[in-house]
C-alpha cells in the first residue's frame, strides 16, 4: 500500500453561504473543480466560537477542557502578568505529535498556538511568523522559536511579505477605487494591506516549505477570510442601512476578493501537493451575512465573535474519496480522527470527535486505542516546564492587541493575571454548558461571579447555568436581584428567566415574556426556538410547530429548530415527519442527541429496529444519561433484537440514573427551588460605572492636539542623520542628546543620540518634558509609529541610496568586528527598501507628521543648495544661524558612494 500523503488547509471563517454564489458565477474555478471531484458539506463549529480553542480542537480531536487552550491569553506564573496561550500551554498531543511518534514527517504553518515551534519530525513556521520584521543593520528579525528547525530561520524569514510591497496590481482587485481613498483620514486601506500581506506571508512561507521540505502531512492555516470579513463584511452586499453609500461602493468587493484570492492560492497548493495527496479544506466557523449581520458589538473581550456563524465548511478530495458527493453532520472536532484514519492510525477513545467514514469510497477499518497520551516515544512535544521567553511573550501579546484579538492588558500585572484567569474560566464554562455538563459549568460560573459580580455577561452565565442545571428558582432570583431597581431587563436575561419560569411550571408568565420579547426580537431564530420549547411543554403542538418553522424560515440551518420540530412530530405520532426533521437536524449538527433519539423512536415505530438501535446508541454517545434512550434500547433488546445481556446493561443504567436523580433531590423533592448564597450584586448604574472604570471607552481626548510641535530627524541607519543633527545644531537649534554614544571613526563628529527616546512606545508622556519641543530629536524609523498622536511633528527624513547604506553598514561591522545580518546582498537591499517605504508611507499618510526628504548625496555635494529648503521647512525662528549650516558638511565623509 502506498504511503499516505495528507494536506490540511485551514480557511478561518470560510462559509458556503458566501462561497456558493461565487461558485455559481464561475469565480472560484479551483475550488469548483476540487469539490466536483470530492465531497463537501457543512462543518459544525464548537462553543465558544474562539479561534485558539477551535483550531486546537481540530488538531487534537478534543474539547478545550482536555487540550488546555481556553482563549487568547493566560496568567504567566513565571514572570507575572499574562502571556499568550502557546504550544507549551497545550496539554495533549496534536496531529503532528502523533504522526511524528509514528515515523511520519509533518510540516505545520501558521497554526493557532503553535509558537514556540515544537521539535517534531518535520518543519514548523508558527503563528508568530507574521511578526517577522526587517531591522536595518540586523536583517530579518525572527523571534526565537518561530521556526523549527532553527537553522531554517533566515532562509524562511525572507518570505515575509510587507504591506508596502503591495502594488496596485494586488490592491485593485479588492478595492478598484483605492486611489481615491484619503489615507490620512481613512485607515481602512492600511487595515486591508496588513491582512493581505500577512496572508501572502503565510502562503509564501507555506509553499516554500512544501517545495523544500519532504512531508507526509502538511497543515497550513490562513486567517485572512476571517480578518477581511471582520473589517469589511459590513460593506458586503446587500447594503446595510447604517452604511454610507460612498463606503459601500468603495469596499463592497473586498470579501469577494478574499475568496477569489484564496482560490488562486489553493491552485498553487494543489499543484505542489500532487494528485496522490488527499486534501482537506475546512473552516472553524462561518461568518454572518445578509440580514443576520449584527448591528452591535458586545463590550467584552472577543466581542467580534458575535459575527461568527455556527457552520463552517469542509471539502475533501483525493484518492479513495467519493466524487461529487455531499456529507452531513460533520463537526470541527472530527478533523483529527479523520486525518488519523487516512493514515490508518487508531483513534483515541478519549477523543471527542469521530472519523468521517462517509467521505471514503470504501469505508476503512477504524482502529481504536485508549489514548495517544499513553503511547511512549518521541512526539516532539515540549518538555514539561518549557516557557516562552518574556520578550517573546510581550511581542506576541502586542501582535494580538494590534490584531484586535485582546485588549491591552496594561501594566498592572496582578490585575491582568486575574482578568486572564477569569476570562479563561468564562470560556471554559461556556463550553461545558454547551456540552450540557451543567454542574461543572455552574461551579465555574459561581466562582467567576463571586470575583466579578458587576459584569452582566457573567451574571448571564450564572443565571443560564442555574437554569440549565435545574436550579430554576435560583436563576429567577439572580435576574431579579440584578434588576431589582426596575428598568428594562436585557432580552438575553428575559429569555433565561422565561425558561426558568417554564421549569417552575409557570407557563403563563413564561409565555408573557416570550410574547413581549418577540416585539423587538422578531427576527431572532433563538427566540422562536425557545417559544417552541414552551409550547411543547404545554402540549400545544400546533403552536410549537409554527414557532419552530418560523425559526427555520429565518435561519434554515438552525439544527435546534429542526430538532424541536422532530420532537413535535414524535409527540404527535407522525413517524415520517419525525424522521425527516430529525435527519435535517443531525445533518447540520451531528451532536444533536435529542434528534438522534427522535429518529430512533420513529424508526422503531416504523419497524426498523436495527437502524433505531444505531440512533439510540448515537444519542447516548452524546448524552449518556438520557433515560428514555436507555428505556427504548432495553425494550428493543428484550423483544425485536433479543440480547438479555444488553437489556440488563440498560436496566442497570436506568437504575443508576434514577438513583443519581434521587441523590441530588433535596427535602423539597425538587432541585427547582434550591437556592444558594450570592455575592452582593451592584445595581445597573453601579455596574455600568465599574465597567467604565475597568474597561474604559476610548478616550476622546487621547488625540486632542497638545499644541506642541517637535522636530525629528530620521532615516535608515547610515543615511546621514548624524550629519543633519550637526547642521541643525550649527544653525542654532538645541539638540536633544545625552552624549552616551561617543564619536568614533564611523561618525567622527558624534552620533547626537538621546537613548531615552527609544522608550517612547512604553512611555508616551516622555515628550511632555518642558522644552523638548524646542530641540531636534534623532529618532530611528522604527520609533516613528509610536510617537504620540496628540503632538505635531516636523520630520527631516534622510534619503540615501540603499546600496551606499548597505556598503556603509558592512564597513562599520568590519571595523567593529561584530556579526551583521546573515543575508545575501539582494535580500539586504530588498529589506532596506521595504523598511524605508514603510516609514515614509506612515509619515505621508498621517496628519500628525509633516515630512521633508533630504537627499544625502546632494546635501554632501552642494549643501548650500539644500540648506534653504531645510530653513523654509523648519522656520528661521528655529534656525537663527542658518548661514552656519553648510560649513558643517565635510564631503570627505561621503566614503561609500554608489
Amino acid at each position: 500500500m502506498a504511503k499516505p500523503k495528507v494536506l490540511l488547509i485551514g480557511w478561518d471563517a470560510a462559509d458556503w453561504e458566501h462561497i456558493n454564489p461565487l461558485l455559481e458565477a464561475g469565480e472560484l474555478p479551483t475550488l469548483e473543480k476540487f469539490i466536483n471531484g470530492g465531497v463537501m458539506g457543512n462543518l459544525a463549529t464548537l462553543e465558544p466560537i474562539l479561534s485558539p480553542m477551535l483550531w486546537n480542537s481540530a488538531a487534537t480531536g478534543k474539547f478545550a477542557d482536555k487540550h488546555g487552550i481556553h482563549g487568547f491569553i493566560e496568567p504567566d506564573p513565571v514572570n507575572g502578568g499574562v502571556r499568550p496561550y502557546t504550544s507549551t500551554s497545550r496539554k495533549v498531543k496534536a496531529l503532528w505529535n502523533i504522526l511524528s511518534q509514528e515515523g511520519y514527517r509533518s510540516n505545520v504553518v501558521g497554526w493557532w498556538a503553535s509558537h514556540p515551534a515544537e521539535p517534531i519530525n518535520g518543519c514548523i513556521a508558527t503563528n508568530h511568523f507574521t511578526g517577522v520584521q526587517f531591522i536595518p543593520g540586523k536583517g530579518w528579525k525572527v523571534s526565537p522559536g518561530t521556526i523549527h528547525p532553527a537553522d531554517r530561520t533566515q532562509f524562511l524569514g525572507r518570505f515575509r511579505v510587507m504591506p508596502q510591497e503591495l502594488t496596485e496590481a494586488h490592491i485593485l482587485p479588492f478595492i478598484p477605487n483605492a486611489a481615491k481613498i484619503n489615507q490620512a483620514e481613512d485607515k481602512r486601506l492600511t487595515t486591508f494591506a496588513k491582512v493581505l500581506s500577512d496572508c501572502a506571508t503565510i502562503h509564501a512561507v507555506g509553499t516554500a516549505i512544501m517545495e523544500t521540505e519532504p512531508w507526509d502531512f502538511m497543515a497550513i492555516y490562513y486567517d485572512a477570510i476571517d480578518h477581511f470579513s471582520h473589517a469589511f463584511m459590513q460593506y458586503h452586499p446587500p447594503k446595510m442601512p447604517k452604511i454610507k453609500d460612498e463606503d459601500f461602493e468603495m469596499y463592497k468587493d473586498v470579501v469577494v476578493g478574499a475568496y477569489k484570492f484564496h482560490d488562486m492560492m489553493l491552485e498553487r497548493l494543489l499543484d505542489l501537493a500532487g494528485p496522490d495527496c488527499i486534501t482537506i479544506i475546512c473552516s472553524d466557523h462561518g461568518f454572518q451575512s445578509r440580514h443576520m449581520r449584527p448591528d452591535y458589538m458586545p463590550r467584552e473581550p472577543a466581542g467580534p465573535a458575535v459575527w461568527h456563524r455556527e457552520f463552517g465548511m469542509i471539502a475533501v478530495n483525493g484518492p479513495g474519496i467519493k466524487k461529487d458527493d455531499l456529507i452531513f453532520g460533520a463537526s470541527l472536532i472530527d478533523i483529527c480522527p479523520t486525518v488519523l484514519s487516512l493514515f490508518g492510525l487508531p483513534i483515541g477513545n478519549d477523543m471527542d470527535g469521530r472519523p468521517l467514514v462517509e467521505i471514503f469510497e470504501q469505508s476503512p477499518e477504524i482502529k481504536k486505542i485508549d489514548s495517544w497520551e499513553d503511547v511512549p516515544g518521541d512526539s516532539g512535544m515540549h518538555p514539561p516546564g518549557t516557557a516562552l521567553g518574556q520578550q517573546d511573550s510581550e511581542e506576541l501579546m502586542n501582535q494580538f492587541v494590534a490584531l484586535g484579538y485582546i485588549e491591552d492588558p496594561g501594566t498592572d500585572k496582578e490585575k491582568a493575571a486575574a482578568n486572564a484567569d477569569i476570562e479563561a474560566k468564562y470560556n471554559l464554562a461556556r463550553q461545558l454548558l454547551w456540552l450540557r455538563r451543567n454542574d461543572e459549568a455552574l461551579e465555574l460560573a459561581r466562582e467567576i461571579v463571586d470575583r466579578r459580580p458587576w459584569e452582566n455577561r457573567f451574571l448571564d452565565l450564572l443565571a443560564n447555568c442555574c437554569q440549565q442545571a435545574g436550579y430554576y428558582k435560583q436563576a429567577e432570583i439572580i435576574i431579579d436581584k440584578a434588576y431589582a431597581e426596575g428598568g428594562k431587563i436585557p432580552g438575553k436575561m428575559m429569555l433565561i428567566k422565561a425558561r426558568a419560569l417554564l421549569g417552575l411550571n409557570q407557563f403563563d408568565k413564561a409565555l408573557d415574556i416570550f410574547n413581549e420579547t418577540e416585539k423587538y426580537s422578531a427576527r431572532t431564530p433563538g427566540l422562536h426556538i425557545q417559544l417552541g420549547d414552551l409550547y411543547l411543554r404545554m402540549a400545544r403542538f400546533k403552536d410549537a410547530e409554527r414557532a419552530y418553522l418560523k425559526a427555520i424560515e429565518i435561519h434554515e440551518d438552525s439544527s435546534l429548530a429542526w430538532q424541536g420540530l422532530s420532537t413535535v412530530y414524535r409527540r404527535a405520532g407522525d413517524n415520517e415527519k419525525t424522521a425527516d426533521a430529525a435527519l435535517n437536524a443531525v445533518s447540520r449538527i451531528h451532536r444533536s442527541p435529542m434528534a438522534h433519539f427522535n429518529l430512533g423512536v420513529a424508526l422503531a415505530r416504523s419497524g426498523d429496529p436495527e437502524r433505531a438501535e444505531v440512533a439510540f446508541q448515537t444519542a447516548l454517545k452524546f448524552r449518556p444519561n438520557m433515560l428514555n434512550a436507555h428505556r427504548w434500547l432495553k425494550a428493543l433488546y428484550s423483544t425485536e433484537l433479543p440480547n438479555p445481556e444488553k437489556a440488563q446493561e440498560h436496566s442497570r443504567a436506568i437504575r443508576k440514573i434514577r438513583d443519581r436523580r434521587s441523590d441530588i433531590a433535596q427535602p423539597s423533592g425538587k432541585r427547582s427551588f434550591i437556592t444558594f448564597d450570592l455575592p452582593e450584586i451592584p445595581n445597573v448604574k453601579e455596574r455600568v460605572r465599574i465597567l467604565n472604570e475597568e474597561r474604559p471607552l476610548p478616550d476622546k481626548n487621547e488625540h486632542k492636539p497638545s499644541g506642541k510641535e517637535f522636530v525629528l530627524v530620521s532615516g535608515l541607519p547610515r543615511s546621514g542623520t548624524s550629519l543633519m543633527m550637526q547642521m541643525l545644531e550649527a544653525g542654532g537649534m538645541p539638540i536633544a542628546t545625552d552624549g552616551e554614544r561617543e564619536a568614533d571613526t564611523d561618525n567622527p563628529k558624534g552620533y547626537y543620540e538621546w537613548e531615552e527616546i527609544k522608550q517612547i512606545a512604553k512611555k508616551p508622556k516622555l515628550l511632555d518634558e518642558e522644552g523638548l519641543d524646542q530641540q531636534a530629536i534623532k529618532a530611528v524609523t522604527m520609533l516613528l509609529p509610536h510617537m504620540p498622536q496628540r503632538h505635531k511633528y516636523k520630520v527631516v527624513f534622510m534619503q540615501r541610496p540603499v546600496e551606499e547604506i548597505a556598503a556603509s553598514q558592512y564597513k562599520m561591522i568590519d571595523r567593529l568586528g561584530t556579526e551583521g545580518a546573515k543575508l545575501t546582498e539582494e535580500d539586504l537591499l530588498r529589506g532596506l527598501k521595504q523598511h524605508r517605504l514603510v516609514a515614509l508611507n506612515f509619515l505621508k499618510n498621517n496628519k500628525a507628521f509633516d515630512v521633508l526628504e533630504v537627499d544625502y548625496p546632494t546635501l554632501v555635494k552642494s549643501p548650500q543648495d539644500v540648506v534653504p529648503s531645510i530653513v523654509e521647512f523648519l522656520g528661521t525662528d528655529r534656525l537663527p544661524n542658518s548661514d552656519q549650516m553648510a560649513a558643517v558638511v565635510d564631503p570627505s565623509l561621503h566614503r561609500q558612494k554608489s
Side-chain angles (χ1 to χ4, degrees):
M1 182 177 177
K3 192 177 184 182
K5 191 174 186 181
V6 178
L7 169 62
L8 175 61
I9 303 170
W11 284 356
D12 200 305
D15 193 322
W16 290 121
E17 278 198 355
H18 311 140
I19 293 171
N20 284 332
L22 298 175
L23 290 172
E24 292 169 8
E27 299 277 16
L28 306 176
T30 307
L31 184 59
E32 182 173 18
K33 181 179 178 181
F34 184 89
I35 60 177
N36 287 342
V39 300
M40 62 177 286
N42 280 336
L43 194 67
T45 189
L46 318 174
E47 287 286 346
I49 309 179
L50 296 175
S51 290
M53 299 173 72
L54 298 177
W55 287 108
N56 276 278
S57 286
T60 62
K62 298 178 180 180
F63 294 125
D65 64 308
K66 294 177 183 175
H67 67 58
I69 307 295
H70 300 157
F72 293 95
I73 56 175
E74 63 180 339
D76 185 343
V78 178
N79 303 302
V82 295
R83 65 185 182 190
Y85 276 105
T86 65
S87 59
T88 63
S89 311
R90 199 182 67 242
K91 299 186 293 187
V92 300
K93 294 172 184 173
L95 270 168
W96 43 90
N97 303 118
I98 296 172
L99 293 172
S100 283
Q101 198 166 315
E102 294 300 299
Y104 293 100
R105 186 173 175 87
S106 301
N107 296 332
V108 183
V109 176
W111 210 266
W112 262 109
S114 57
H115 189 86
E118 294 171 286
I120 63 169
N121 177 23
C123 182
I124 295 181
T126 74
N127 58 310
H128 198 14
F129 189 83
T130 52
V132 171
Q133 303 175 36
F134 184 86
I135 306 298
K138 296 182 179 179
W140 295 104
K141 183 187 176 185
V142 184
S143 296
T146 301
I147 301 292
H148 167 76
D151 61 11
R152 302 288 283 162
T153 297
Q154 280 300 314
F155 169 74
L156 293 175
R158 66 193 180 98
F159 289 98
R160 173 69 165 113
V161 179
M162 307 300 287
Q164 285 66 33
E165 290 186 278
L166 302 179
T167 67
E168 61 182 18
H170 305 114
I171 296 170
L172 295 184
F174 297 81
I175 310 175
N177 294 312
K180 297 179 181 179
I181 297 174
N182 179 355
Q183 294 185 56
E185 301 284 346
D186 186 347
K187 300 303 179 185
R188 285 169 288 193
L189 187 58
T190 301
T191 299
F192 164 83
K194 176 70 167 66
V195 175
L196 183 58
S197 62
D198 283 354
C199 180
T201 294
I202 290 297
H203 188 66
V205 72
T207 51
I209 289 173
M210 289 179 77
E211 288 182 278
T212 59
E213 299 285 343
W215 55 278
D216 304 302
F217 173 69
M218 176 85 197
I220 182 168
Y221 163 76
Y222 298 88
D223 63 11
I225 291 176
D226 182 72
H227 287 204
F228 279 130
S229 297
H230 276 297
F232 299 101
M233 184 59 77
Q234 60 183 320
Y235 310 110
H236 188 68
K239 179 180 171 296
M240 296 179 74
K242 68 176 183 178
I243 299 300
K244 297 178 181 177
D245 290 343
E246 56 270 28
D247 288 342
F248 176 74
E249 289 301 322
M250 181 64 71
Y251 297 112
K252 62 184 174 63
D253 300 314
V254 173
V255 173
V256 170
Y259 279 99
K260 292 166 72 173
F261 184 49
H262 280 70
D263 193 70
M264 295 164 62
M265 293 188 291
L266 176 62
E267 182 179 20
R268 179 60 178 154
L269 294 175
L270 296 178
D271 285 344
L272 290 172
D276 296 330
C277 180
I278 296 175
T279 300
I280 301 172
I281 308 169
C282 65
S283 64
D284 56 337
H285 56 77
F287 210 89
Q288 300 289 9
S289 60
R290 299 176 295 163
H291 63 283
M292 297 301 294
R293 288 176 288 189
D295 56 6
Y296 73 100
M297 183 79 76
R299 192 178 166 193
E300 61 183 70
V306 70
W307 281 83
H308 296 164
R309 201 169 79 91
E310 68 265 42
F311 292 106
M313 56 82 71
I314 185 171
V316 190
N317 183 298
I321 303 300
K322 290 178 181 177
K323 305 294 186 283
D324 194 18
D325 204 356
L326 291 172
I327 60 172
F328 300 96
S331 170
L332 187 68
I333 201 72
D334 302 329
I335 295 298
C336 177
T338 301
V339 172
L340 291 177
S341 70
L342 290 171
F343 282 96
L345 295 174
I347 314 303
N349 287 326
D350 58 344
M351 289 183 174
D352 298 301
R354 66 181 181 95
L356 298 172
V357 294
E358 58 267 37
I359 70 175
F360 296 99
E361 290 177 328
Q362 294 184 342
S363 295
E365 178 190 355
I366 301 301
K367 306 169 188 174
K368 289 284 189 175
I369 189 175
D370 284 341
S371 175
W372 279 102
E373 310 310 317
D374 301 329
V375 177
D378 184 8
S379 66
M381 290 186 76
H382 289 297
T386 304
L388 197 63
Q390 185 170 3
Q391 182 177 353
D392 206 15
S393 176
E394 288 177 359
E395 287 180 5
L396 200 53
M397 287 287 296
N398 292 336
Q399 195 175 346
F400 283 178
V401 171
L403 289 169
Y405 290 138
I406 61 171
E407 297 174 335
D408 188 337
T411 56
D412 186 333
K413 287 189 172 185
E414 186 175 344
K415 180 180 176 181
N419 287 343
D421 182 58
I422 289 174
E423 202 65 34
K425 288 176 177 174
Y426 172 65
N427 292 335
L428 180 58
R430 290 167 66 195
Q431 179 155 100
L432 293 171
L433 194 62
W434 177 71
L435 293 170
R436 299 184 69 89
R437 292 162 59 180
N438 302 323
D439 289 343
E440 295 172 75
L442 178 58
E443 184 178 349
L444 285 172
R446 290 185 66 177
E447 178 192 340
I448 292 167
V449 170
D450 281 342
R451 296 168 64 182
R452 197 70 60 88
W454 46 262
E455 195 157 352
N456 283 347
R457 63 192 174 117
F458 299 151
L459 296 172
D460 287 353
L461 174 69
L462 180 59
N464 203 12
C465 287
C466 288
Q467 182 272 133
Q468 290 203 38
Y471 295 98
Y472 302 122
K473 190 64 182 177
Q474 182 66 73
E476 184 184 18
I477 289 172
I478 291 167
I479 296 168
D480 289 344
K481 277 194 173 185
Y483 296 91
E485 74 279 13
K488 183 179 177 182
I489 301 176
K492 188 175 180 180
M493 280 287 220
M494 287 294 289
L495 292 177
I496 294 172
K497 183 172 182 177
R499 294 199 300 272
L501 291 170
L502 186 61
L504 294 169
N505 294 326
Q506 298 180 26
F507 298 134
D508 290 341
K509 287 185 178 180
L511 187 57
D512 288 344
I513 290 176
F514 281 124
N515 289 334
E516 180 64 28
T517 307
E518 189 176 10
K519 293 178 183 178
Y520 52 88
S521 299
R523 297 297 295 172
T524 304
L527 169 66
H528 297 285
I529 292 169
Q530 293 181 59
L531 190 55
D533 294 344
L534 170 60
Y535 286 133
L536 264 181
R537 289 285 302 275
M538 299 173 73
R540 291 168 56 174
F541 299 132
K542 284 295 181 184
D543 289 330
E545 179 187 29
R546 187 174 61 253
Y548 290 130
L549 288 173
K550 181 67 175 177
I552 291 168
E553 176 192 327
I554 299 169
H555 185 31
E556 184 183 8
D557 281 332
S558 175
S559 175
L560 285 175
W562 285 109
Q563 178 173 269
L565 197 60
S566 71
T567 304
V568 169
Y569 296 140
R570 173 179 62 80
R571 297 276 298 274
D574 191 326
N575 295 329
E576 185 176 347
K577 284 187 175 180
T578 300
D580 182 66
L583 287 169
N584 266 293
V586 301
S587 70
R588 286 163 170 82
I589 295 182
H590 189 66
R591 182 177 287 273
S592 302
M594 183 55 71
H596 286 289
F597 171 76
N598 291 337
L599 178 60
V601 173
L603 292 169
R605 287 172 174 171
S606 301
D608 193 346
E610 289 82 4
R611 290 173 62 200
E613 176 191 21
V614 173
F616 290 132
Q617 288 174 341
T618 306
L620 289 173
K621 175 185 175 184
F622 297 132
R623 195 182 298 173
N625 294 322
M626 185 182 282
L627 186 62
N628 285 336
H630 286 292
R631 285 171 172 163
W632 270 95
L633 283 170
K634 176 189 174 184
L636 286 177
Y637 292 136
S638 300
T639 53
E640 289 98 327
L641 303 174
N643 189 324
E645 185 177 336
K646 287 188 175 181
Q648 279 297 316
E649 178 185 331
H650 288 283
S651 290
R652 288 192 294 272
I654 291 167
R655 286 195 297 272
K656 185 176 180 181
I657 294 169
R658 285 174 171 168
D659 290 345
R660 181 177 177 276
R661 290 183 178 180
S662 176
D663 287 343
I664 63 175
Q666 296 298 312
S668 64
K670 290 186 178 180
R671 202 183 228 202
S672 307
F673 293 93
I674 300 170
T675 60
F676 45 78
D677 291 335
L678 291 170
E680 187 66 33
I681 299 175
N683 63 38
V684 175
K685 289 184 179 179
E686 182 66 9
R687 293 205 300 273
V688 171
R689 184 192 66 78
I690 299 172
L691 180 64
N692 286 337
E693 287 181 358
E694 293 289 323
R695 195 173 299 124
L697 293 167
D699 185 0
K700 294 180 180 179
N701 296 319
E702 183 180 357
H703 299 305
K704 186 176 181 180
S706 67
K708 291 185 176 182
E709 184 178 72
F710 294 84
V711 174
L712 305 178
V713 175
S714 193
L716 295 176
R718 312 303 298 161
S719 64
T721 51
S722 297
L723 172 60
M724 180 54 62
M725 293 290 284
Q726 295 169 34
M727 293 178 67
L728 296 181
E729 183 180 41
M733 187 170 188
I735 301 298
T737 180
D738 49 29
E740 285 191 17
R741 192 174 181 188
E742 298 178 356
D744 55 28
T745 304
D746 298 296
N747 261 0
K749 297 187 178 181
Y751 285 88
Y752 290 83
E753 292 180 353
W754 179 37
E755 280 293 315
E756 202 167 358
I757 195 62
K758 296 177 182 178
Q759 301 295 315
I760 191 65
K762 295 182 178 179
K763 300 178 180 179
K765 293 186 178 181
L766 198 60
L767 295 182
D768 293 349
E769 184 180 327
E770 191 66 33
L772 272 178
D773 57 331
Q774 303 301 314
Q775 303 175 42
I777 303 171
K778 183 176 173 181
V780 295
T781 48
M782 288 81 76
L783 298 178
L784 296 176
H786 301 294
M787 295 294 168
Q789 301 289 292
R790 65 183 183 276
H791 306 308
K792 292 286 189 180
Y793 302 91
K794 289 274 190 179
V795 182
V796 180
F797 195 93
M798 301 302 297
Q799 287 276 28
R800 186 178 184 182
V802 291
E803 294 81 7
E804 290 188 7
I805 292 174
S808 181
Q809 289 181 0
Y810 283 137
K811 189 74 175 177
M812 184 176 182
I813 288 168
D814 286 343
R815 185 189 68 78
L816 295 173
T818 56
E819 189 173 320
K822 295 178 180 178
L823 299 175
T824 64
E825 183 177 359
E826 179 185 357
D827 281 342
L828 178 60
L829 295 180
R830 170 189 167 231
L832 290 170
K833 288 177 181 177
Q834 283 178 2
H835 184 81
R836 183 164 64 191
L837 192 57
V838 169
L840 283 171
N841 280 355
F842 170 77
L843 294 173
K844 292 176 180 179
N845 292 308
N846 195 305
K847 292 188 295 183
F849 295 88
D850 189 10
V851 61
L852 172 69
E853 296 178 54
V854 175
D855 183 65
Y856 178 75
T858 302
L859 176 65
V860 173
K861 183 179 179 181
S862 306
Q864 66 281 356
D865 295 336
V866 177
V867 166
S869 63
I870 300 172
V871 175
E872 181 181 0
F873 179 65
L874 296 179
T876 54
D877 55 327
R878 291 186 185 272
L879 298 168
N881 305 323
S882 59
D883 57 328
Q884 305 294 314
M885 293 172 66
V888 172
V889 179
D890 181 357
S892 67
L893 294 179
H894 189 194
R895 291 171 286 206
Q896 307 298 331
K897 300 179 181 178
S898 58

